[in-house]
Amino acid sequence: MLVLNIVLYALLGTSLAFAIIELGLSAFITVAYSGMQEIQTWSAYSGYSYTQVNVKPPAILVFLVFSSVWTILVAVGALVLPWYYSRKDFVTAKLNTILAAIFVAIYFVTMVFWLACFADLASLLGGGTSINPYYNAVLAFGVLLWLLFVALVIFTILAMCGVLVSDWAGYQSLKENGGGVHQTNASPAREVRMTEQPIA
C-alpha cells in the first residue's frame, strides 16, 4: 500500500516539475520565434532594405505551451484530490470508481498530448536534433513526460484491477473485498460415503 503511494507521489511530482520546466522552455521559444522581426530584402531599384514582418510561431510550439499548462493542472489535481478525500474519510465505492475512470482517461489523454508534441517536434527538426539547445531540451522533456504518463496509466490500471494495493481514492481496487473473491470462514464439509463402515 505504501509503495504504490510513494510511486504515485514520485511520478506525479516529477511530472509537475518537468511540466513547469517544459512550460518555461516552450514559452521562451514561442516568444522568441513570434512577433515583429526585421527581414533584409533586396530590390533592383533600391538595393537592400529592411522590412518589418509579423512572424507567427509554428502550431506545435503553441500546443507545447498548452500541453505544459494542461499537465500542471492534471498533476496538481491528481495529487490533491485523492489526498483530500482520503483525509476526510469520504471514499465510497462509487466515488472510487468515478475517480478511477477520470484518472485513467485524463492520464491517457495527457499521454497522447505528449506523444503528439514530441513526435511533431521531432518531425519539424527532420528526425534529428537541432543546433539550438532549447529545441533539444523541449524534445527531451516531452519524451520524459510521455514516459511518465505511460507509467501513470499502467499503475492506475493495475491498482484498479487489484494487482497493486492503495488506500487513495481513485486507486483502490474495483473488485469486491479487494480481491474479488467472497471468502467464508466455514471450512468445507468432508464428504462421507453412506457405504463406508467404521473400522473397528
Side-chain angles (χ1 to χ4, degrees), residues 23 28 80 127 163 166 186 190:
L23 176 62
F28 174 76
V80 170
V163 176
S166 176
R190 189 174 68 98

Side-chain angles (χ1 to χ4, degrees), residues 127-146:
T129 59
S130 172
I131 56 170
N132 188 341
Y134 291 109
Y135 280 108
N136 295 334
V138 167
L139 186 62
F141 279 108
V143 172
L144 291 173
L145 280 162
W146 173 70

Side-chain angles (χ1 to χ4, degrees), residues 72-196:
I72 290 169
L73 295 175
V74 165
V76 169
L79 281 168
V80 170
L81 278 178
W83 174 80
Y84 174 76
Y85 285 122
S86 297
R87 296 271 297 171
K88 296 291 183 184
D89 291 331
F90 188 65
V91 182
T92 61
K94 186 174 183 179
L95 175 69
N96 183 55
T97 305
I98 291 170
L99 282 177
I102 289 171
F103 285 155
V104 169
I106 287 178
Y107 292 160
F108 182 78
V109 167
T110 309
M111 178 188 72
V112 171
F113 282 173
W114 285 112
L115 177 64
C117 283
F118 87 78
D120 195 11
L121 187 61
S123 173
L124 187 68
L125 296 176
T129 59
S130 172
I131 56 170
N132 188 341
Y134 291 109
Y135 280 108
N136 295 334
V138 167
L139 186 62
F141 279 108
V143 172
L144 291 173
L145 280 162
W146 173 70
L147 290 173
L148 285 168
F149 278 95
V150 167
L152 281 167
V153 168
I154 291 170
F155 279 115
T156 305
I157 291 173
L158 289 176
M160 286 171 49
C161 294
V163 176
L164 299 173
V165 180
S166 176
D167 59 349
W168 277 13
Y171 298 98
Q172 296 174 4
S173 175
L174 299 181
K175 296 181 179 180
E176 294 180 54
N177 297 331
V181 179
H182 293 288
Q183 297 178 355
T184 57
N185 293 333
S187 60
R190 189 174 68 98
E191 286 185 18
V192 178
R193 292 184 189 161
M194 298 297 275
T195 57
E196 285 184 14

